[in-house]
Amino acid sequence: MFALMTEKAYGQHRSHFDALDQEGHGLQWLRLADDGQLDGPPDAHPEVGWLSSDVFFGGLVERFFEIAESAPDFRWLQSAAAGVDLDGYERLMDRGARICNAHLTAIPIAEYVLRAVLDVFQDAGRWRAAQADGRWKHHNFREVWRSRWLIIGLGAIGAETARRARAFEAHVTGVRRRPSGDEPVDAMIAPDDVPGALPEADVVVLAAPATPDTEKLVDDAFLSALKPGSVLVNIARGKLIDDEALLRALDGDRLAAAVLDVFNTEPLERDHPYWTHPKVVLTPHSSGGGIGRWERGAELFCDNLRRLLAGEPLVNEVTTMELLTTDLPFALGQQ
């Protein structure tokens, strides 16, 4: 069996593939170079593939799908992303291939959220400014302890964020359309109950997918219901926010800050008001950039490959083409 992956992924995680070789599965590795050339026998066709994180950054997405789709017996793809909103996934599924997604970025995104909220609560910029000026200047700050968090979307990212916030003894309310009953939160509510929960929340985290129901979820009514001094964090999709409404709210005295890692247009226009607004913490769709995701991705690919060869159920198999878009590693093509 030939397995398709990038040269970079193969080299970085060689020990995992050596272990598979020693298990006697008869695997051969087709490696895609940065220039799009394939290292392997000219007549080799992959049956399985690993769409690793580096594919999204190196401009190899179309080339990867081209190779997979031209292989007559291609039957399984492991993606490093949670989102399946690229046409290549659907084309492969239409041909009968199985697709598995991943939630590799949930951990770094959750850590990003906690760091960003702590930075705002502690007004850490004042310490940095004092250090730069050589001033010994004390200031008090807000604690996460006993703060109240509202996390809209309790998938992998929302759940990891909830666990970390509760470790700081925050009270966390989760929002999910179809609760499983084991969410790591103090309370669960339905989406229709969000307006009533907003006035109690010190921190509101957007971790829901972009759908017609969530587009411009954060509008004037949403923002006017927020608790004074609250912090809004968006690590989902820019479409969840009405930008004009948010700018109006930021110019008022209700919001303490908006932490924004995703935007309606990416890259964000250079003249957009978010760049210079004093209450905006802006990052370039990079909250999922933790380097541990690479190792977790290799482990998941190898685990699922073993399962496939043994005829066992696969982890994170996608059975419908729902647009699970919140966990794409970064904005495609942007490092």
Side-chain angles (χ1 to χ4, degrees), residues 86-325:
L86 297 176
D87 292 339
Y89 294 112
E90 189 165 7
R91 292 195 301 267
L92 285 175
M93 285 191 76
D94 287 343
R95 294 180 49 204
R98 301 169 73 180
I99 307 291
C100 291
N101 66 356
H103 300 287
L104 310 177
T105 59
I107 289 173
I109 292 175
E111 292 183 3
Y112 166 98
V113 172
L114 266 294
R115 177 208 57 79
V117 171
L118 284 166
D119 204 57
V120 171
F121 271 26
Q122 295 181 4
D123 200 1
R126 292 172 63 184
W127 283 319
R128 290 190 284 268
Q131 179 182 353
D133 294 341
R135 291 181 291 112
W136 185 270
K137 181 67 174 177
H138 172 83
H139 72 266
N140 296 318
F141 55 84
R142 297 168 67 181
E143 300 174 358
V144 174
W145 177 73
R146 290 190 180 177
S147 61
R148 300 185 71 88
W149 290 48
L150 179 66
I151 301 180
I152 301 176
L154 253 292
I157 293 172
E160 291 292 344
T161 302
R163 291 187 184 96
R164 284 156 178 76
R166 293 181 79 199
F168 282 78
E169 297 187 49
H171 180 282
V172 178
T173 297
V175 182
R176 198 174 199 182
R177 192 173 301 279
R178 293 181 291 274
S180 61
D182 60 354
E183 289 83 2
V185 297
D186 298 287
M188 280 295 300
I189 62 174
D192 290 345
D193 298 323
V194 167
L198 292 173
E200 303 297 323
D202 297 291
V203 179
V204 177
V205 180
L206 305 179
T211 68
D213 289 335
T214 59
E215 186 170 353
K216 292 190 176 181
L217 170 70
V218 179
D219 56 12
D220 286 307
F222 184 106
L223 292 159
S224 64
L226 289 173
K227 180 179 181 178
S230 58
V231 177
L232 176 70
V233 182
N234 189 11
I235 40 76
R237 280 292 183 266
K239 290 182 179 180
L240 273 65
I241 291 180
D242 180 333
D243 289 328
E244 296 302 321
L246 179 55
L247 286 167
R248 286 192 290 271
L250 288 166
D251 288 338
D253 57 4
R254 185 167 296 273
L255 265 176
V259 177
L260 306 176
D261 187 52
V262 290
F263 304 91
N264 276 290
T265 300
E266 297 186 5
L268 185 66
E269 305 95 324
R270 187 61 189 89
D271 60 350
H272 198 285
Y274 284 151
W275 285 106
T276 56
H277 201 289
K279 290 185 180 179
V280 171
V281 178
L282 184 157
T283 50
H285 204 148
S286 300
S287 60
I291 60 176
R293 74 188 191 281
W294 300 329
E295 184 69 14
R296 291 191 294 274
E299 291 171 355
L300 177 60
F301 169 70
C302 292
D303 177 44
N304 261 343
L305 182 52
R306 289 186 177 96
R307 289 169 177 267
L308 181 75
L309 294 170
E312 299 174 353
L314 303 179
V315 178
N316 295 337
E317 183 165 6
V318 178
T319 56
T320 64
M321 296 309 296
E322 293 179 0
L323 301 185
L324 309 175
T325 58

